[in-house]
């Protein structure tokens, strides 16, 4: 049976008086049994602090932590049955792979024969059974991190906690281990909390992601929800690349289609119903992904005028810098185009039409800080 984790109004402040720093600020979230749940955010936003509170290494200043509705807020780490993997592998250099993985079992006084079987199973789960007799120095970084994972799994934890486990690995291994870790967590049905600052890692692996900033959770959702329906400028810009265009609501029709007015002209949006209600003349900020903009012939109906400034060819896609409107001062948009035709490449300063897919326009309320 997998474990449900409930975090209820968790706050952690370090220091006191003028040195007081709030690392985690009133965080509440329910993590489902068997879920691969990500904490994603920039460095210093409180991810590690929150993870260590779930593990029991740090006590919250306020709030309650529950595993399957049982209050574990004051339960010491060794009685929570969590497995943890860190950025640095922290294997014992003088021990073999097998001895490293068995270590947690020997301090738990698991009998020898059971220990051997459990170690072998854990090493098989991470595909390292053939390396049981080696020392950590005889392994690559990726293999060492697999062993660290086996060491966390061998105690059959209720909850697996991972803190930037792939950050020390090179790009190729990182990508390889993403699907490997997901497979292991899903096969074992483990409730997993995974900390990273790498949005690609989170998007490609997570069931759900909590985006953190300054100790707060900004938004929780599936990778697709967060990418397609960010609720704030921060979330829209943290996950993937986007263009922000300031606009004014020109009209709204009965079908909920919104005509938006910018300095360069009008364009249509068909925002999802989850967005905040809009009023005529309201100033809004639109988030539009580079792949939601298409370059068409200038003067095509419904297109905004623009000028293609520069293009970078990357094989299956081209990335274009396109200036919006006819003024030299117009905003420069990032546009990506799948299977670019030859005449869409090079530096050419040609006039183009800019077509924006109405279903892909995210309309955000304009905050004071967003005004340019
Ligand atoms: P992240 O893992 O997202 O990079 P951390 O949880 O490590 O962030 O840190 C969040 C904030 O709390 C940072 O500003 C950090 O400096 C502060 N912090 C973390 N641990 C301590 C500590 N032991 N004492 C004082 N401040 C700390
Ligand atoms: Mg950290």
């Amino acid at each position: 049976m997998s474990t449900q984790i409930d975090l209820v109004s968790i706050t952690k402040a370090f220091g006191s008086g003028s040195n007081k720093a709030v690392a985690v600020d009133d965080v509440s979230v329910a993590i489902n049994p068997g879920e691969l749940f990500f904490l994603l955010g920039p460095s210093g936003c409180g991810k590690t602090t929150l993870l260590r509170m779930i593990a029991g290494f740090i006590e919250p200043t306020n709030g309650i932590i529950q595993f399957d509705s049982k209050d574990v807020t004051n339960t010491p780490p060794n009685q929570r049955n969590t497995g943890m993997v860190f950025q640095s592998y922290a294997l014992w250099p003088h021990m073999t792979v097998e001895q490293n993985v068995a270590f947690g079992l020997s301090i738990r006084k698991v009998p020898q024969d059971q220990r051997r079987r459990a170690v072998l199973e854990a090493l098989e789960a991470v595909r390292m059974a053939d390396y049981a007799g080696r020392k950590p120095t005889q392994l690559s970084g990726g293999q060492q991190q697999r062993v660290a994972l086996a060491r966390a799994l061998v105690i059959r934890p209720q909850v697996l906690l991972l803190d930037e486990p792939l950050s020390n690995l090179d790009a190729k291994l990182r990508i390889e281990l993403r699907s490997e870790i997901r497979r292991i967590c899903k096969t074992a049905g483990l409730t997993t909390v995974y900390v990273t600052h790498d949005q690609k890692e989170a998007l490609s692996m997570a069931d759900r992601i909590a985006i953190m900033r300054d100790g707060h959770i900004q938004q929780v959702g599936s990778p697709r929800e967060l990418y397609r329906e960010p609720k704030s400028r921060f979330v829209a810009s943290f996950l993937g690349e986007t263009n922000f265009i300031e606009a004014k609501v020109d009209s709204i029709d009965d079908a909920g289609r919104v005509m938006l007015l910018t300095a360069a002209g009008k364009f249509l949006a068909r925002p999802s119903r989850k967005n905040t209600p809009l009023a005529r003349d309201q100033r809004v900020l639109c988030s539009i992904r580079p792949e939601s903009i298409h370059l068409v012939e200038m003067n095509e109906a419904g297109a905004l005028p623009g000028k293609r400034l520069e293009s970078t060819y990357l094989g299956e896609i081209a990335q274009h810098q396109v200036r919006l409107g006819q003024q030299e001062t117009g905003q420069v948009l990032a546009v990506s185009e799948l299977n670019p035709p030859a005449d869409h490449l090079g530096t050419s300063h040609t006039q183009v039409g800019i077509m924006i897919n109405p279903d892909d326009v995210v309309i955000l309320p304009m905050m004071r800080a967003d005004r340019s």
Side-chain angles (χ1 to χ4, degrees):
M1 276 300 286
S2 306
T3 302
Q4 155 120 10
I5 304 172
D6 286 288
L7 306 178
V8 187
S9 299
I10 297 293
T11 295
K12 177 66 196 180
F14 290 108
S16 58
S18 59
N19 279 328
K20 184 169 155 178
V22 181
V24 173
D25 196 356
D26 195 20
V27 163
S28 295
V29 68
I31 301 170
N32 301 321
E35 187 171 33
L36 184 42
F37 190 88
F38 271 65
L39 300 174
L40 173 69
S43 174
C45 71
K47 306 180 295 292
T48 294
T49 305
L50 188 55
L51 194 75
R52 293 178 70 85
M53 286 192 281
I54 300 173
F57 297 121
I58 299 179
E59 228 176 274
T61 314
N62 265 308
I64 296 168
I65 299 171
Q66 295 175 324
F67 286 3
D68 286 334
S69 308
K70 183 172 159 268
D71 188 338
V72 296
T73 317
N74 300 307
T75 307
N78 59 2
Q79 286 167 34
R80 288 196 194 189
N81 201 21
T82 57
M84 194 138 177
V85 178
F86 306 93
Q87 181 173 346
S88 60
Y89 331 119
L91 301 176
W92 300 103
H94 60 285
M95 290 185 186
T96 62
V97 164
E98 184 174 358
Q99 288 164 341
N100 264 285
V101 176
F103 189 72
L105 296 177
S106 35
I107 57 173
R108 279 177 169 75
K109 306 215 168 25
V110 175
Q112 179 94 34
D113 55 329
Q114 273 182 39
R115 215 189 295 168
R116 279 207 77 116
R117 200 168 347 115
V119 169
L120 195 66
E121 263 175 38
L123 285 174
E124 270 166 1
V126 301
R127 303 196 165 132
M128 285 293 291
D130 293 345
Y131 299 81
R134 293 219 195 161
K135 294 276 176 66
T137 50
Q138 297 169 307
L139 302 175
S140 71
Q143 290 171 332
Q144 289 185 50
Q145 201 55 316
R146 282 171 198 261
V147 176
L149 197 56
R151 194 177 50 179
L153 293 172
V154 77
I155 61 160
R156 298 194 172 277
Q158 263 183 289
V159 166
L160 183 63
L161 305 172
L162 304 156
D163 194 350
E164 312 254 5
L166 305 181
S167 296
N168 279 355
L169 305 177
D170 64 46
K172 189 165 170 281
L173 264 178
R174 244 178 1 236
I175 289 168
E176 203 179 291
L177 275 180
R178 280 181 195 164
S179 50
E180 191 78 334
I181 291 180
R182 191 177 155 87
R183 175 187 64 79
I184 291 163
C185 295
K186 288 290 157 188
T187 309
L190 277 169
T191 307
T192 304
V193 187
Y194 189 122
V195 161
T196 186
H197 65 274
D198 183 334
Q199 42 121 350
K200 291 229 168 92
E201 214 165 283
L203 283 174
S204 63
M205 293 176 71
D207 291 322
R208 283 191 307 154
I209 304 169
I211 308 253
M212 290 185 70
R213 180 192 200 184
D214 296 338
H216 296 275
I217 290 184
Q218 298 275 310
Q219 193 174 344
V220 179
S222 69
R224 190 180 147 85
E225 270 162 13
L226 293 178
Y227 189 81
R228 296 205 43 103
E229 305 196 14
K231 292 203 179 101
S232 64
R233 183 185 184 126
F234 178 78
V235 172
S237 58
F238 196 79
L239 274 187
E241 201 188 343
T242 196
N243 297 290
F244 290 109
I245 300 178
E246 285 183 32
K248 199 166 92 170
V249 176
D250 191 60
S251 63
I252 308 171
D253 72 11
D254 293 340
R257 296 190 308 176
V258 182
M259 189 57 85
L260 294 159
L261 181 64
T262 70
K266 292 181 187 177
F267 68 97
L268 191 69
R270 200 163 21 221
S272 83
R273 250 159 263 155
K274 284 179 208 157
N275 279 315
T276 40
L278 298 168
R280 249 197 103 200
D281 289 334
Q282 185 181 341
R283 284 173 31 99
V284 294
L285 191 69
C286 301
S287 165
I288 302 163
R289 303 286 182 188
E291 67 274 19
S292 301
I293 304 176
H294 304 287
L295 300 186
V296 295
E297 295 293 320
M298 57 182 294
N299 303 328
E300 191 167 315
L304 295 169
K307 192 177 251 186
R308 186 169 65 79
L309 303 179
E310 216 176 295
S311 301
T312 309
Y313 181 61
L314 295 169
E316 82 280 20
I317 67 160
Q319 291 175 339
H320 307 291
Q321 304 279 309
V322 180
R323 202 171 60 211
L324 180 61
Q326 271 142 347
Q327 313 287 331
E328 290 289 316
T329 52
Q331 182 181 355
V332 177
L333 304 176
V335 175
S336 60
E337 182 178 40
L338 197 61
N339 298 321
D343 64 345
H344 276 189
L345 301 174
T347 308
S348 60
H349 289 255
T350 40
Q351 299 284 346
V352 290
I354 296 173
M355 196 69 108
I356 297 170
N357 186 356
D359 291 317
D360 294 348
V361 178
V362 175
I363 301 180
L364 301 169
M366 180 83 96
M367 302 294 176
R368 194 163 297 151
D370 294 332
R371 301 228 165 121
S372 58

